[in-house]
Amino acid sequence: MKMVRTIKGTHDILPAQSGDWQDLETQIHKTANLHGYDEIRTPIIEDAALFNRGVGEETDIVSKEMYSWIDKDKSTISLRPELTAPVVRAYVQHNLGGQSLLQRLYYIGPSFRRERPQKGRQRQFHQFGVEAIGSDNPEQDAEVISIGWNILNNFGINELELNISSIGSDDCRTNYKQELINYLKPFIPQLSEVSQHRLKHNPLRILDTKNKDEIKIIESAPKIENFYTKEDETYFLTVQQYLDDLEIPYKINPLLVRGLDYYTQTTFEISSKKIGAQDALLGGGRYDGLIKSLGGKDVPAVGFAAGMERILIATDSRKRTDKQVACIYIVCTDLSALGPLQQIAKNLRELDIKVILETLRRSMKAQMREANKKNANYAIIVGEQEAIDKTVQLKNLNEGKQDTINQGELIAYFKSLTF
Ligand code: HAM
């Protein structure tokens, strides 16, 4: 029969890799908790309207990449392409703002975008992120950026590059957009079809072009910083000041344009030289209008999300800091002893010792080989004679020493040991 395989752009996380995923998740939980953030989990499927309104109908993410379908009750449902809009929906729906003026939230989970798959770009990928909802002060931006920076750093990714920008307030952007359109109009015949479309619907995205001819045109385009209001300028400078205080190096990149519509003021991305600047490990920014536009109060917010697959690619040469868990392999060739040995295994696990019990009924030699393969520290060996004597051969697999011990004394023996 023909084998069924994973869908294009999706991947299994196999046992050989899942340890790295668990390490990364541990680092995320730890760093987020140390900064006072609580975890939130939202559904993978949402009403499509959430992303149309939240992320923006004209964005590539929503218009080209989102998986949506009409359900049996005729409602349109989407697989989430990101988690900011869902987190804000949950914030509004459960009135989290009523519980606390500032909600510091973080999440880990899969997202879906129908992109052309390549290394570090999947159709199902995993994001973790934080969203701080409630503060409109620049120290909140700096805190959020520093959490992302710390997680990547603590996970051993070096050569990190933080790019920051400000796209200013609504007033600033409205004025700037108009100037940019005026500047670009004479170049329309030279612009790609995509950029011509963007000029009409989302002109700022043209700044992010990878097309060499367009990059030349953009070089002389008006710069957004000339359109900042006094408050925009002070705000952005204060964010920079706090990053200096936190000793986080950054580059100001006025051409940084994020692909989601909800941003205001500060935006940022972190990339690593290892994976290339074009594919950010992490991206985010301030989104002060989103909560209101999704039916909530006029509450400011800032956050980021990071791609976990990309982080793991950027760390693939890392030596795993595998905490050696104490492990015992129970080798048994006499079935009459299996019952008592299962009892012993249960008691050992209650001591937080990892115990693997043979269930394939292999030969003594094959079981011992398996114990070594599993990096067990000890083998508890029971053959015909030990089953009769109610003893075990206890072999220290690191030192090669072997002793006979009564089955009834095993638990006390391991209790007295520190691995
Ligand atoms: P984003 O820049 O679209 O932002 O995605 C964040 C990160 O997700 C990217 O930097 C990248 O590492 C990863 N990513 C995105 N698409 C893919 C893909 N197809 N395959 C693998 N990794 C991918 C957001 O999603 C915003 N919600 C971030 C945010 C949170 N802004 C404010 N709060």
Side-chain angles (χ1 to χ4, degrees):
M1 198 112 69
K2 198 166 172 262
M3 189 190 358
V4 182
R5 305 183 63 93
T6 44
I7 290 169
K8 188 173 171 185
T10 69
H11 296 276
D12 296 310
I13 296 169
L14 296 173
Q17 301 139 4
S18 57
D20 287 339
W21 281 82
Q22 288 177 1
D23 281 356
L24 178 55
E25 284 159 9
T26 303
Q27 185 60 247
I28 295 162
H29 289 298
K30 185 175 154 202
T31 311
N33 285 319
L34 283 175
H35 287 82
Y37 283 64
D38 295 317
E39 189 180 5
I40 182 162
R41 303 185 190 196
T42 61
I44 284 169
I45 53 173
E46 295 271 4
D47 189 330
L50 174 64
F51 303 107
N52 294 337
R53 264 161 68 190
V55 176
E57 249 157 338
E58 281 299 331
T59 59
D60 286 354
I61 295 175
V62 170
S63 67
K64 298 189 191 143
E65 297 163 2
M66 194 157 76
Y67 287 95
S68 299
W69 67 94
I70 298 171
D71 212 27
K72 290 202 173 116
D73 64 0
K74 304 278 184 282
S75 57
T76 309
I77 292 182
S78 299
L79 287 177
R80 63 182 183 202
E82 59 105 57
L83 280 88
T84 308
V87 167
V88 169
R89 178 204 45 70
Y91 172 91
V92 174
Q93 183 175 337
H94 304 286
N95 187 26
L96 295 186
Q99 294 171 21
S100 158
L101 276 182
L102 178 62
Q103 284 286 338
R104 291 184 159 103
L105 305 168
Y106 79 98
Y107 49 81
I108 304 178
S111 296
F112 304 84
R113 296 184 192 175
R114 200 176 190 291
E115 299 199 67
R116 189 143 24 102
Q118 48 182 269
K119 196 171 183 203
R121 181 164 300 149
Q122 295 85 239
R123 292 183 170 181
Q124 174 172 343
F125 59 101
H126 296 77
Q127 286 189 330
F128 75 85
V130 310
E131 313 292 351
I133 309 178
S135 166
D136 60 0
N137 293 316
E139 54 270 37
Q140 190 62 66
D141 305 43
E143 175 183 278
V144 162
I145 294 172
S146 74
I147 296 173
W149 180 266
N150 291 344
I151 290 176
L152 298 179
N153 243 317
N154 295 345
F155 201 60
I157 310 180
N158 29 44
E159 301 191 64
L160 288 178
E161 193 177 288
L162 166 64
N163 279 271
I164 59 171
S165 181
S166 169
I167 53 167
S169 50
D170 290 349
D171 281 352
C172 154
R173 266 192 321 285
T174 311
N175 295 336
Y176 177 59
K177 261 184 205 163
Q178 197 47 55
E179 278 299 312
L180 189 63
I181 292 169
N182 293 345
Y183 168 80
L184 286 171
K185 262 186 187 155
F187 297 103
I188 288 179
Q190 287 149 264
L191 295 182
S192 64
E193 216 174 293
V194 178
S195 291
Q196 289 187 14
H197 181 86
R198 284 181 170 161
L199 188 63
K200 278 205 196 103
H201 301 278
N202 195 352
L204 291 191
R205 287 288 286 162
I206 300 179
L207 299 178
D208 197 30
T209 180
K210 307 287 178 274
N211 177 315
K212 279 201 186 95
D213 298 330
E214 292 181 358
I215 289 175
K216 275 228 162 67
I217 297 173
I218 294 301
E219 271 169 11
S220 315
K223 306 274 179 290
I224 192 152
E225 63 258 37
N226 298 327
F227 294 79
Y228 291 160
T229 62
K230 192 82 204 110
E231 290 78 32
D232 295 341
E233 201 181 328
T234 311
Y235 193 97
F236 191 35
L237 282 172
T238 318
V239 173
Q240 293 168 41
Q241 179 59 52
Y242 290 137
L243 290 175
D244 292 338
D245 292 338
L246 288 162
E247 294 176 16
I248 296 176
Y250 55 87
K251 243 175 52 191
I252 297 170
N253 177 0
L255 298 182
L256 174 70
V257 182
R258 311 258 311 120
L260 306 95
D261 276 357
Y262 45 62
Y263 292 112
T264 54
Q265 305 284 1
T266 321
T267 57
F268 54 90
E269 282 187 0
I270 302 180
S271 51
S272 150
K273 293 216 177 87
K274 174 117 195 232
I275 194 159
Q278 276 210 21
D279 287 319
L281 295 174
L282 178 157
R286 186 158 271 290
Y287 52 94
D288 290 343
L290 183 60
I291 291 96
K292 193 164 178 209
S293 77
L294 291 176
K297 296 200 178 112
D298 194 3
V299 180
V302 54
F304 73 76
M308 294 170 73
E309 283 82 0
R310 291 189 190 173
I311 291 174
L312 290 168
I313 293 172
T315 50
D316 64 2
S317 59
R318 190 173 67 101
K319 280 239 172 313
R320 282 203 46 208
T321 52
D322 202 2
K323 338 121 216 84
Q324 263 299 314
V325 187
C327 174
I328 297 172
Y329 198 98
I330 297 187
V331 174
C332 176
T333 55
D334 189 311
L335 286 184
S336 71
L338 259 189
L341 284 173
Q342 294 195 37
Q343 184 76 43
I344 287 170
K346 172 175 171 278
N347 294 339
L348 286 170
R349 290 186 190 117
E350 282 167 9
L351 299 177
D352 276 347
I353 299 171
K354 170 166 143 187
V355 184
I356 307 174
L357 189 117
E358 170 77 12
T359 56
L360 285 177
R361 302 186 178 181
R362 283 175 284 193
S363 70
M364 173 79 71
K365 203 167 148 201
Q367 291 189 44
M368 286 304 290
R369 209 180 304 128
E370 187 68 17
N372 282 315
K373 207 166 134 191
K374 293 286 178 202
N375 284 327
N377 309 75
Y378 287 88
I380 289 175
I381 306 160
V382 177
E384 203 179 331
Q385 194 55 50
E386 289 82 12
I388 294 167
D389 299 342
K390 305 236 176 312
T391 59
V392 307
Q393 295 297 320
L394 181 65
K395 183 164 186 180
N396 182 325
L397 294 172
N398 303 330
E399 294 166 12
K401 263 193 349 213
Q402 187 164 320
D403 292 307
T404 307
I405 291 196
N406 287 329
Q407 288 177 17
E409 288 163 16
L410 261 179
I411 303 302
Y413 177 83
F414 279 105
K415 251 190 194 155
S416 70
L417 273 190
T418 46
F419 282 93

